[in-house]
Amino acid sequence: MSAAQYPAVSVIMPVLNEERHLRNSVRHILEQEYPGEMEVVIALGPSTDRTDEIAAELVAEDPRVHTVPNPTGRTPAALNAAIKASRHPVVVRVDGHGMLSPNYIATAVRLLEETGAQNVGGIMHAEGENAWEDAVAAAMTSKIGVGNAAFHTGGQAGPAETVYLGVFRREALERADGYNVEFIRAQDWELNFRIREAGGLIWFSPELKVQYRPRPTVKALAKQYKDYGRWRHVVARYHAGSINLRYLAPPTAVVAIVAGLVLGATVTPWALVVPGGYVAAIVAGSLPAGKGLSLKARAQIPVALATMHMCWGFGFLTSPRSLAKRVIASRRPAMTGSSETV
């Protein structure tokens, strides 16, 4: 295709307190090996760091970059605001700490055309910048850490329940009324579920890769995964039949370990086999996951694994029904915009 034949692309970015990675993330977008027209729309939440200042510098430096306000700070509201402010037929979602591979957009556009999918996406390739982040990255890309989720661990190209971030046909986003603003987390899974329910195809391809920077502390990782578990239970209540065994593994592990510790302390020490077996399993599983990493990073992989499992499970188990009821009662405003197609 000539440059004129490539569809124009809108890249949308929800950002909040992203001073550490925003400039580099936008650089990876603007340097894409894509001959078609491109714009970048950054939705700015109420950051307390230099994110807004950096975004203003990016706007001044390149006419393709624009910003819109997101006073709520919520990711789905930011995404909807950026979609509304954008204008092109292909919409690429990127986070403020994600780094696109050089041919990401060109490959995604080709896959949209080849597969007829409404959304295509690939691998969330976690990479750290220190020993702890390396440990988290290893945990997030291992089967013992995240199960068989292809967008974490890789796999064969094909139809999928969901994908990391996503490259959408605008028409699919408009038919789905955009993201549900009530879903502070799990908004990607929930949107893709609705697209699939309407007959749309979600396509995973390992050709698409986005570098992802893990949370920098145990506390931040714990909050991230507690929120993941909490909101995944909301999705399960919102969309009956959407749960599977992979999602039930962490809450089951939490219940079994707590029961083992209580029974081990009050009834019989044999019950401690359960929590002891779990510790042994994550230690053993961390060995192949940490191949090639420093000793300091390898030593922290079991901590990262336990934090992810236990916090996800705890969030799932403690997710209040009232939250799901509020979400179920919500109504999504219709999105408006371009009617062009790829």
Side-chain angles (χ1 to χ4, degrees):
M1 290 190 295
S2 67
Q5 292 175 305
Y6 282 85
V9 169
S10 296
V11 181
I12 59 172
M13 300 182 69
V15 299
L16 179 68
N17 294 325
E18 289 288 359
E19 69 172 1
R20 183 180 172 192
H21 300 301
L22 179 58
R23 177 171 287 279
N24 197 25
S25 181
V26 172
R27 179 178 64 81
H28 278 76
I29 297 168
L30 298 177
E31 294 179 357
Q32 283 288 296
E33 297 171 0
Y34 187 71
E37 184 180 352
M38 183 192 306
E39 67 175 351
V40 180
V41 181
I42 304 172
L44 296 171
S47 296
T48 56
D49 62 7
R50 294 183 60 252
T51 296
D52 287 9
E53 181 182 337
I54 294 168
E57 293 171 357
L58 292 167
V59 170
E61 293 165 6
D62 196 304
R64 293 174 292 177
V65 181
H66 314 280
T67 61
V68 293
N70 173 37
T72 70
R74 290 186 172 189
T75 299
L79 291 165
N80 284 346
I83 292 167
K84 185 176 181 180
S86 66
R87 55 196 174 91
H88 295 321
V90 176
V91 179
V92 180
R93 175 181 172 177
V94 181
D95 285 342
H97 46 270
M99 315 295 163
L100 300 185
S101 52
N103 62 347
Y104 181 89
I105 292 177
T107 301
V109 168
R110 172 176 60 80
L111 290 170
L112 283 173
E113 294 177 344
E114 289 178 354
T115 65
Q118 301 300 299
N119 180 21
V120 300
I123 296 174
M124 177 182 178
H125 186 63
E127 291 186 358
E129 296 181 328
N130 55 48
W132 165 251
E133 291 180 4
D134 285 342
V136 177
M140 292 180 73
T141 54
S142 67
K143 291 189 182 299
I144 191 172
V146 294
N148 62 350
F151 69 86
H152 280 294
T153 60
Q156 296 294 316
E161 287 186 351
T162 191
V163 291
Y164 181 53
L165 300 178
V167 177
F168 300 83
R169 298 175 188 267
R170 177 179 292 275
E171 61 194 30
L173 292 172
E174 292 176 351
R175 279 198 299 266
D177 294 338
Y179 290 85
N180 188 328
V181 296
E182 294 294 337
F183 279 87
I184 298 174
R185 295 287 185 272
Q187 65 273 161
D188 294 309
W189 201 102
E190 194 277 335
L191 172 61
N192 285 318
F193 183 91
R194 286 188 283 118
I195 291 174
R196 289 188 290 109
E197 271 199 325
L201 174 65
I202 310 299
W203 188 265
F204 166 82
S205 173
E207 292 183 78
L208 298 172
K209 185 179 290 187
V210 181
Q211 291 180 5
Y212 168 86
R213 298 293 185 243
R215 296 298 193 270
T217 65
V218 175
K219 182 179 179 180
L221 182 69
K223 183 181 185 305
Q224 178 187 20
Y225 272 79
K226 184 190 74 172
D227 287 346
Y228 281 171
R230 185 185 197 198
W231 284 93
R232 190 60 189 78
H233 203 165
V234 172
V235 172
R237 288 167 169 158
Y238 189 77
H239 293 300
S242 66
I243 201 69
N244 61 41
L245 293 178
R246 178 165 67 89
Y247 296 118
L248 294 176
T252 300
V254 170
V255 171
I257 289 169
V258 170
L261 290 172
V262 171
L263 293 174
T266 60
V267 180
T268 172
W270 284 106
L272 296 174
V273 168
V274 175
Y278 172 76
V279 172
I282 61 173
V283 170
S286 70
L287 296 178
K291 186 177 180 180
L293 297 181
S294 68
L295 180 60
K296 185 177 181 181
R298 293 200 302 270
Q300 295 181 86
I301 294 175
V303 178
L305 288 169
T307 300
M308 291 161 56
H309 294 161
M310 295 299 101
C311 292
W312 202 103
F314 177 78
F316 188 94
L317 291 168
T318 59
S319 182
R321 284 187 176 274
S322 59
L323 180 59
K325 288 179 180 177
R326 190 183 81 221
V327 170
I328 291 169
S330 69
R331 294 293 182 269
R332 296 180 299 277
M335 298 290 297
T336 58
S338 170
S339 61
E340 296 177 76
T341 58
V342 176

